[in-house]
Amino acid sequence: MEPVCHVGAAAVQRLNELGLVPEDLHRALAGGSAEARLCTDMDAPGMAGYAFWSRSNRTFRERMVLKGWTYSNSQSILRTIHPSGTFAITSVSGSGMVGEEDAGFSGDVRTKNPKGSAVAKLVERNYVQLPLPVFDVVVESEVEVNDLPTWFLLYKSSKEGLSFELSLPVQMHGKHVDTWRERIILDDNPFRGAEFDIKRLDEVPSVAPVEVPVEYKGAL
């Protein structure tokens, strides 16, 4: 079975059903990119990628809490939770055909880094709770955050820039999430160009030290 893939106007409509607009995703990724660009080769290796992940989640949260969303760091998964309490979103680095409509159901799009048991359980719960409704009502009873269906805001960097999509994971093979129930792909991508390449940021060459000549004129 292929995932449901929303593109163009259908993608914007599906975002609206989830209480989102394209700018919500754009702002999150712009925040991550801005933070990553503050890193230099004096940071720890890979710091730009880590900074992007952390700040993209933070920026998304800062924007969405103004709209009534909440958040949780339970099990080190940085979830932002819809006001209805029926689903969450987390920003995650991806690999493969992220943001490409032609990607198939399994393996073509996957998480970049290996995931542990907490994410494995999250993905399994996403699968057993299918089909998922349009989220437009508030649940009457509180749901444990780790039981919430959780969407991934996937992003991938390359020399062309950032590609991204909002997708619902339902299966892992090995240590990588690689199977999706829904994929939301926006036509508008403001992150094209090498300046958005996280890997390139992690490989910035050392800056040559500035040498200032000092002349001593007698004893002080």
Side-chain angles (χ1 to χ4, degrees), residues 95-163:
S95 64
M97 299 174 67
V98 174
E100 298 183 34
E101 182 181 354
D102 295 337
F105 178 64
S106 179
D108 289 345
V109 176
R110 56 195 176 277
T111 52
K112 177 181 178 181
N113 300 314
K115 303 301 178 185
S117 59
V119 171
K121 291 178 181 178
L122 176 159
V123 171
E124 182 181 357
R125 284 189 293 268
N126 279 0
Y127 181 82
V128 300
Q129 294 182 79
L130 294 176
L132 294 174
V134 173
F135 305 98
D136 56 1
V137 296
V138 177
V139 294
E140 295 183 359
S141 59
E142 184 176 352
V143 178
E144 161 59 38
V145 63
N146 294 319
D147 291 333
L148 291 178
T150 300
W151 293 70
F152 285 6
L153 174 54
L154 291 167
Y155 56 86
K156 173 193 170 184
S157 69
S158 69
K159 61 183 180 180
E160 286 79 30
L162 279 175
S163 54

Side-chain angles (χ1 to χ4, degrees):
M1 179 180 68
E2 294 293 320
V4 177
C5 190
H6 310 279
V7 296
V12 175
Q13 180 181 346
R14 185 58 175 135
L15 281 184
N16 292 163
E17 292 171 352
L18 297 174
L20 299 165
V21 294
E23 184 69 8
D24 295 329
L25 307 188
H26 293 164
R27 287 290 185 89
L29 298 174
S33 176
E35 185 71 11
R37 279 190 264 184
L38 293 176
C39 297
T40 73
D41 61 328
M42 295 186 184
D43 280 297
M47 184 62 190
Y50 181 86
F52 191 105
W53 165 74
S54 179
R55 187 51 60 92
S56 61
N57 277 291
R58 170 180 161 177
T59 306
F60 184 65
R61 289 170 166 185
E62 290 174 338
R63 180 177 176 87
M64 302 313 293
V65 294
L66 300 177
K67 303 180 182 183
W69 294 54
T70 57
Y71 60 92
S72 168
N73 295 333
S74 178
Q75 298 182 329
S76 298
I77 300 172
L78 307 185
R79 296 176 178 91
T80 307
I81 304 167
H82 188 269
S84 67
T86 53
F87 74 99
I89 295 172
T90 187
S91 181
V92 180
S93 60
S95 64
M97 299 174 67
V98 174
E100 298 183 34
E101 182 181 354
D102 295 337
F105 178 64
S106 179
D108 289 345
V109 176
R110 56 195 176 277
T111 52
K112 177 181 178 181
N113 300 314
K115 303 301 178 185
S117 59
V119 171
K121 291 178 181 178
L122 176 159
V123 171
E124 182 181 357
R125 284 189 293 268
N126 279 0
Y127 181 82
V128 300
Q129 294 182 79
L130 294 176
L132 294 174
V134 173
F135 305 98
D136 56 1
V137 296
V138 177
V139 294
E140 295 183 359
S141 59
E142 184 176 352
V143 178
E144 161 59 38
V145 63
N146 294 319
D147 291 333
L148 291 178
T150 300
W151 293 70
F152 285 6
L153 174 54
L154 291 167
Y155 56 86
K156 173 193 170 184
S157 69
S158 69
K159 61 183 180 180
E160 286 79 30
L162 279 175
S163 54
F164 66 95
E165 61 184 72
L166 182 65
S167 295
L168 184 69
V170 291
Q171 200 169 8
M172 292 177 64
H173 292 92
K175 293 290 186 178
H176 295 269
V177 182
D178 63 356
T179 308
W180 315 90
R181 175 64 181 86
E182 286 190 64
R183 303 175 63 225
I184 302 173
I185 301 173
L186 296 171
D187 288 339
D188 183 24
N189 183 354
F191 306 107
R192 302 189 189 281
E195 66 268 28
F196 295 105
D197 183 359
I198 302 170
K199 183 178 180 181
R200 183 185 64 84
L201 292 173
D202 277 333
E203 297 174 347
V204 174
S206 298
V207 177
V210 177
E211 295 186 1
V212 180
V214 177
E215 296 182 5
Y216 293 96
K217 296 182 179 179
L220 293 178

